């Protein structure tokens, strides 16, 4: 039974209702002079790294079918589309001039969105580093941050007249700690010191790119970054468990928000990681470069983490894939536990209270900065029925409860301006390949036929009315 009033379930008329994708997960169009290899192309070809050897070579063929996909969005009444630019499509080696054919695709994409009344929200980096840059050292190398700023400038010159909303990085935690720590993501390295260096150079890349964007874009442009801060809960009230939660918060969240929002790495993070690194990769001036004015902060949320002090061989149900190597340098003794209650196909606990908690945290920590939920959604085992329809009541329930969590945060004062459903399409789910479906639109990966699920129509009604409907 709902205790809040119907009026309170309304969102303001200017609230942004969007969907999101990432270039590598949906575009396809590798080779044929269309796109150079990224670290994910290389990683997917290593036996055993990606489920059933799946690759992103075809993905959802969004590169060819983007007009069809935008028509789907328009039909649902979605007002914004968050997409990423493929760095190796625009600048194949991560250096030198832009490839105009690559930029032309994103020009056409933005034009089609604008023509259909959909706001483009552009992300510069969603994990697909050009392979040549990885061969030269990757994110643990400072040069990658400098190259990223140059790439940002090239994209801004090409699309600044069309795109108002710009995001530097998506989930740099995954790039650094899953890519270079646990190795479950590309490039698959397992070096805790490299992971910490990568985190710093991602921070630096964000700051240098933000400077390049500000110098290139019209004054109306809005700059953001999208982070996936952890909502970390100690398993008990013991001092040891609270200390475990503090350590994970430092590595999951404050390693990025400290420099980006406050111009510093927190002292406890430096102390926790002192056995691994002296942070000599941080040079004079870096903190000032990283801390750039933001017009919005993107927050991605799926599930909370429950941690304890652990033991000699701690459990690690952290939701980030199986690996003998930890993505938590300096905190690899911390145990992660499965919270009770329902779970998605990813094994992630469904707990919308974490989203309210996260939004209120950053309402307090970044006052005056508009907040956006730039990713939220769930994977379920969606199959067409005998009539070819895809009914996904579990996803509708998930979305309803998480949108209500956003409403609650707003009611407590959080300046949340928009929500982006992950994802528009079923797609290449990184190391899970095509075995996990997050889409509001079902994709038959053999025929590429798109079928909007029940949740797509439900979400379209929410976007059209600005109101969470009462339970069906």
């Amino acid at each position: 039974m709902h205790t809040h009033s119907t009026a309170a379930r309304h969102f303001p008329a200017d609230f942004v209702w969007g969907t999101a994708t990432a270039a590598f997960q949906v575009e396809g169009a590798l080779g044929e002079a269309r796109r150079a290899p990224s670290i994910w192309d290389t990683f997917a070809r290593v036996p055993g790294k990606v489920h059933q050897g799946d690759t992103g070579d075809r993905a959802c063929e969004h590169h060819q079918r983007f007009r069809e996909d935008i028509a789907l969005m328009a039909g649902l009444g979605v007002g914004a589309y968050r997409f990423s630019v493929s760095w190796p499509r625009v600048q194949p080696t991560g250096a030198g001039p832009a490839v105009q054919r690559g930029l032309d695709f994103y020009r056409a994409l933005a034009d089609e969105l604008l023509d259909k009344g959909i706001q483009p929200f552009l992300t510069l980096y969603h994990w697909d580093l050009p392979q040549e840059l990885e061969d030269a050292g990757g994110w643990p190398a400072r040069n990658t941050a400098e190259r990223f700023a140059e790439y940002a400038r090239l994209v801004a010159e090409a699309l600044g007249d069309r795109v108002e909303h710009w995001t530097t990085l998506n989930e740099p935690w995954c790039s650094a700690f899953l890519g270079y720590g646990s190795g479950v993501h590309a490039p698959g390295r397992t070096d805790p010191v490299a992971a910490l260096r990568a985190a710093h150079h991602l921070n630096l890349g964000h700051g240098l790119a933000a400077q390049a964007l500000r110098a290139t874009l019209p004054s109306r442009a809005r700059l953001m970054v999208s982070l996936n801060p952890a909502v970390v809960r100690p398993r008990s009230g013991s001092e040891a468990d609270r200390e475990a939660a503090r350590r994970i918060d430092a590595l999951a969240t404050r390693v990025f928000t400290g420099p980006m929002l406050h111009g510093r790495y927190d002292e406890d993070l430096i102390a926790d990681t002192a056995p691994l690194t002296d942070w000599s990769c941080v040079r004079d001036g870096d903190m000032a470069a990283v801390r750039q004015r933001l017009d919005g902060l993107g927050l991605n949320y799926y599930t909370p983490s429950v941690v304890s002090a652990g033991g000699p061989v701690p459990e690690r149900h952290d939701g980030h894939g199986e690996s003998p190597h930890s993505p938590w340098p300096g905190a690899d003794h911390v145990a992660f536990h499965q919270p009770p209650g329902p779970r998605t196909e990813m094994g992630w606990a469904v707990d919308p209270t974490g989203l309210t908690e996260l939004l209120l945290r950053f309402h307090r920590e970044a006052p005056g900065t508009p907040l956006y939920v730039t990713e939220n959604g769930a994977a379920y085992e969606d199959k067409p029925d005998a009539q070819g329809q895809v009914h996904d009541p579990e996803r509708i329930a998930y979305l309803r409860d998480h949108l209500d969590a956003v409403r609650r945060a707003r009611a407590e004062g959080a300046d949340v301006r928009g929500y982006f459903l992950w994802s528009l399409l079923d797609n290449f789910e990184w190391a899970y390949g095509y075995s996990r479906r997050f889409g509001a639109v079902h994709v038959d990966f053999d025929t590429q036929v798109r079928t909007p699920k029940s949740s797509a129509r439900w979400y379209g009604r929410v976007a059209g009315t600005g109101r969470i409907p009462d339970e069906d």
Side-chain angles (χ1 to χ4, degrees):
M1 191 173 110
H2 296 294
T3 55
H4 39 268
S5 71
T6 300
R9 294 167 70 75
H10 275 280
F11 287 77
D14 60 354
F15 191 83
V16 175
W17 298 100
T19 61
T21 64
F24 190 84
Q25 293 180 270
V26 298
E27 283 181 4
L30 170 70
E32 301 173 39
R34 284 173 168 162
R35 171 169 77 68
S38 75
I39 53 175
W40 270 97
D41 295 297
T42 303
F43 183 78
R45 282 164 172 73
V46 178
K49 291 296 186 187
V50 174
H51 177 76
Q52 293 189 341
D54 291 343
T55 73
D57 294 6
R58 268 189 86 194
C60 307
E61 294 185 352
H62 183 63
H63 187 270
Q64 297 97 293
R65 299 170 183 264
F66 70 93
R67 288 186 174 86
E68 175 188 348
D69 293 336
I70 292 170
L72 274 173
M73 284 181 244
L76 295 171
V78 171
Y81 177 47
R82 178 176 176 255
F83 63 94
S84 76
V85 173
S86 166
W87 190 349
R89 197 181 296 290
V90 165
Q91 197 188 35
T93 66
V99 174
Q100 290 306 311
R101 184 184 57 251
L103 288 172
D104 284 345
F105 167 66
Y106 296 106
R107 290 185 181 107
L109 177 72
D111 287 346
E112 188 76 8
L113 289 166
L114 293 168
D115 186 58
K116 296 290 189 291
I118 299 170
Q119 291 185 70
F121 277 66
L122 183 153
T123 299
L124 284 166
Y125 186 73
H126 199 131
W127 308 354
D128 47 356
L129 189 70
Q131 182 60 43
E132 283 201 29
L133 277 185
E134 173 59 25
D135 295 342
W139 284 110
R142 187 180 186 89
N143 179 59
T144 303
E146 295 162 351
R147 298 266 52 82
F148 181 61
E150 175 61 15
Y151 156 68
R153 183 185 64 79
L154 293 171
V155 180
E157 287 173 350
L159 292 160
D161 59 339
R162 295 164 165 86
V163 176
E164 191 171 323
H165 298 274
W166 294 74
T167 298
T168 52
L169 304 172
N170 178 77
E171 296 187 352
W173 184 86
C174 297
S175 299
F177 295 104
L178 300 182
Y180 296 93
S182 67
V184 299
H185 278 190
R189 285 158 66 177
T190 54
D191 177 348
V193 178
L196 292 165
R197 291 175 61 90
H200 176 61
H201 293 133
L202 283 152
N203 280 327
L204 182 61
H206 156 75
L208 296 177
Q211 289 177 334
L213 293 174
R214 291 262 185 234
T216 309
L217 292 170
S219 59
R220 64 183 170 83
R222 318 299 289 167
L223 264 58
M224 294 171 40
V225 64
S226 284
L227 305 176
N228 58 321
V231 175
V232 195
R233 296 169 175 170
R235 193 182 195 188
S236 77
S238 75
E239 190 176 341
D241 286 1
R242 290 201 310 270
E243 164 67 5
R246 180 204 60 74
R247 278 184 178 256
I248 296 304
D249 183 66
L251 275 171
T253 301
R254 290 184 282 119
V255 68
F256 298 106
T257 59
M260 289 182 185
L261 300 180
H262 310 297
R264 64 166 190 268
Y265 287 109
D266 289 346
E267 289 178 7
D268 63 327
L269 172 68
I270 301 289
D272 293 346
T273 54
L276 294 167
T277 180
D278 60 2
W279 290 85
S280 57
C281 59
V282 182
R283 296 188 190 169
D284 288 348
D286 281 7
M287 290 297 99
V290 174
R291 187 185 184 186
Q292 296 294 316
R293 175 172 62 85
L294 294 173
D295 302 305
L297 180 61
L299 300 171
N300 297 354
Y301 173 80
Y302 294 95
T303 190
S305 298
V306 176
V307 301
S308 69
V313 186
E315 292 181 84
R316 206 170 71 238
H317 298 292
D318 61 8
H320 296 300
E322 297 300 316
S323 169
H325 303 275
S326 171
W328 304 106
D332 41 9
H333 61 286
V334 172
F336 286 75
H337 306 278
Q338 272 285 15
R343 298 178 198 164
T344 69
E345 191 75 6
M346 296 292 284
W348 298 346
V350 177
D351 187 344
T353 66
L355 180 53
T356 305
E357 186 180 322
L358 185 67
L359 292 166
L360 290 173
R361 171 181 178 168
F362 285 96
H363 166 58
R364 293 187 298 269
E365 190 171 328
T369 305
L371 305 176
Y372 293 82
V373 179
T374 38
E375 285 184 26
N376 176 242
Y380 290 108
E381 196 173 349
D382 304 315
K383 294 193 176 87
D385 63 16
Q387 286 74 45
Q389 300 298 304
V390 183
H391 298 290
D392 55 345
E394 292 171 306
R395 184 175 288 103
I396 292 174
Y398 182 101
L399 294 177
R400 178 189 287 112
D401 291 345
H402 284 78
L403 289 174
D404 198 53
V406 176
R407 181 200 62 77
R408 290 171 190 274
R410 284 180 48 86
E412 291 190 47
D415 183 14
V416 190
R417 304 271 182 99
Y419 175 94
F420 290 81
L421 168 62
W422 186 270
S423 173
L424 173 67
L425 303 168
D426 291 337
N427 57 47
F428 177 87
E429 184 46 43
W430 307 114
Y432 291 94
Y434 297 100
S435 71
R436 298 289 187 276
R437 292 180 177 271
F438 275 90
V441 174
H442 181 275
V443 178
D444 180 317
F445 294 111
D446 293 326
T447 64
Q448 294 293 339
V449 168
R450 274 82 159 133
T451 305
K453 304 174 189 178
S454 301
S455 61
R457 289 185 285 275
W458 183 91
Y459 184 63
R461 287 198 296 276
V462 174
T465 61
R467 181 179 171 278
I468 308 169
D470 295 323
E471 292 185 27
D472 302 330

